[in-house]
Amino acid sequence: MTRHLDQELTALLDGALPPARAREVEQHLAGCASCRAERDRLAHAVQLLAALPPPPAPSPDFSRGFYARLDAEPTARAGVLELLRRARWRNLVPIAGGALTLALVVGALASYRAEQARLARGLDLYQDYELVAGLDAVQDPEDVLVVGHLDELPAGARP
Amino acid sequence: MASDPDAALMLAFQNGDERAFRTLFERHGRAMVGFCHHYVKDGARAEELAQDVFLKVHRSAARYQPTARFRTWLYRIAANHCLNELRRGEYGARREAAAREGGSAPVDLDSLPGGAATPEQAAVGEALAGAVRELLARLPEKQRTAFVLCRLEGLSYEEIAEVLETSVSAVKSLLHRATVAAAEALAPWSAPDGKEARQ
Ligand SMILES: [Zn+2]
């Protein structure tokens, strides 16, 4: 009995050890009070967690709300594309320079703000690069990049 | 994975059968709310997150490969989405505040049934749930997800490895560390059957 049991105790409790290894672990436990105590401590937590009441059931509106959002999908997708276009265009503004241009842009953005706030919720859904890359809505790698870095856009430009 | 009826539905949806998608939502939507609830305290927010997850499924259906079990693919999308939600921080901050005020002092109990029979038992269940939420908030992301999937959602080590795109032995280690942390956090609570915990 040179080595005490470690993560195999948890795997044993979860029935996740191969039978041969489980028998060896049991043999060690039979002769080792310290590992038995640790096993009991872990088993205690596992039992408590198994007895935890389930999370409350969803509200009756859950399904209806989902289908409503699903029906609104094509619009949301078009909206995200629109936001992507603006985000790219905005990046070019500092290069163009000119305080007047900037003021006009800021003014235009302010009027879009309410709409952007709505779009941003849809945009959150595009956060996984992997998923974004697979969307036909996104046409080139730059779009993915822009989505991934929206939070780095100037504060005033964000919804 | 031809024996996975959900995978068959997903393939039907890929071929344009919108009803197949709706069947998948009816089957797994409510369970996803429960899963998301392990990441945010607010029930309405959990529902919204679960809806987000299915909108993602709808949008990225073309990327689903039937080599992956639908359920593990779904959990992967959900876990990523919930972790992003936590990273955004707003709920993280609120959750910590709630955890502090909750404090969840252990209550002595004779029994801890799944469905509480008395108000006292319900209160104990509430308090224990608070202690678990506090524990989850402290766990590193991967440990937290592995732990939730195993202890609260009942997935096997193999399924969790699929969700996390890692090896079973990595899952073993994640789960052990998280379970040790749970043992620490839940030590003051008495066992569900009122006796000393035995295997
Ligand atoms: Zn030992």
Side-chain angles (χ1 to χ4, degrees):
Chain A
M1 188 181 315
T2 49
R3 250 180 88 249
H4 287 299
L5 301 164
D6 183 30
Q7 60 184 41
E8 287 180 308
L9 284 175
T10 299
L12 180 75
L13 290 172
D14 289 328
L17 284 182
R21 186 63 195 136
R23 275 193 299 277
E24 287 168 12
V25 166
E26 295 279 11
Q27 265 166 27
H28 177 100
L29 281 172
C32 179
S34 135
C35 281
R36 276 202 306 276
E38 180 64 1
R39 189 266 320 267
D40 289 348
R41 212 170 68 90
L42 296 174
H44 171 71
V46 169
Q47 278 183 326
L48 279 172
L49 289 160
L52 212 58
S59 69
D61 287 340
F62 171 64
S63 291
R64 209 176 327 129
F66 173 70
Y67 289 125
R69 289 182 68 187
L70 189 61
D71 289 343
E73 267 292 87
T75 329
R77 182 179 289 207
V80 167
L81 270 181
E82 174 64 10
L83 188 54
L84 282 172
R85 239 194 34 223
R86 280 185 221 151
R88 251 195 286 178
W89 176 64
R90 225 180 280 135
N91 287 341
L92 296 175
V93 170
I95 300 164
L100 180 63
T101 319
L102 206 61
L104 285 174
V105 170
V106 169
L109 283 175
S111 71
Y112 282 131
R113 192 163 294 186
E115 191 210 345
Q116 280 187 324
R118 187 181 60 77
L119 292 178
R121 288 228 42 79
L123 202 63
D124 284 348
L125 302 178
Y126 287 84
Q127 277 203 345
D128 300 78
Y129 291 82
E130 202 203 25
L131 294 177
V132 168
L135 294 170
D136 43 343
V138 178
Q139 274 140 20
D140 62 48
E142 197 192 344
D143 287 337
V144 178
L145 220 68
V146 172
V147 173
H149 295 280
L150 272 179
D151 54 334
E152 292 165 19
L153 287 173
R158 266 181 277 143
Chain B
M1 212 65 46
S3 56
D4 179 359
D6 291 334
L9 284 167
M10 206 52 200
L11 291 178
F13 176 47
Q14 282 178 337
N15 290 322
D17 181 358
E18 188 77 22
R19 281 171 319 172
F21 172 76
R22 291 186 177 229
T23 305
L24 285 169
F25 174 75
E26 300 300 335
R27 254 186 217 177
H28 299 284
R30 295 167 72 84
M32 271 309 116
V33 177
F35 175 75
C36 294
H37 220 134
H38 300 312
Y39 291 83
V40 295
K41 198 180 176 195
D42 180 49
R45 188 68 191 121
E47 289 185 19
E48 214 174 340
L49 288 172
Q51 291 175 348
D52 291 349
V53 167
F54 274 89
L55 290 179
K56 283 188 169 191
V57 169
H58 193 267
R59 286 169 189 167
S60 50
R63 292 179 63 76
Y64 173 73
Q65 303 272 332
T67 46
R69 270 171 279 208
F70 174 76
R71 198 161 85 117
T72 54
W73 185 70
L74 181 63
Y75 272 118
R76 189 186 311 156
I77 293 174
N80 285 339
H81 190 56
C82 288
L83 289 174
N84 278 337
E85 171 76 11
L86 293 186
R87 286 185 202 123
R88 269 196 288 274
E90 44 177 306
Y91 278 87
R94 257 186 252 172
R95 201 187 51 247
E96 275 168 36
R100 266 196 306 279
E101 112 204 359
S104 56
V107 180
D108 242 350
L109 63 160
D110 293 324
S111 63
L112 223 178
T118 69
E120 290 75 21
Q121 286 168 343
V124 168
E126 256 319 282
L128 178 61
V132 172
R133 256 198 309 274
E134 226 171 296
L135 163 72
L136 290 177
R138 283 200 311 269
L139 292 178
E141 287 184 357
K142 265 202 164 171
Q143 272 187 48
R144 179 186 185 142
T145 299
F147 186 79
V148 164
L149 290 172
C150 174
R151 304 274 167 249
L152 307 175
E153 298 288 312
L155 267 65
S156 71
Y157 281 35
E158 285 75 16
E159 287 175 308
I160 297 168
E162 238 180 77
V163 174
L164 297 179
E165 296 180 284
T166 188
S167 66
V168 170
S169 77
V171 169
K172 221 180 250 183
S173 155
L174 287 169
L175 283 175
H176 178 63
R177 280 179 280 154
T179 306
V180 166
E184 204 106 319
L186 303 180
W189 298 78
S190 51
D193 57 4
K195 289 178 292 230
E196 263 319 288
R198 290 287 308 165
Q199 191 203 345

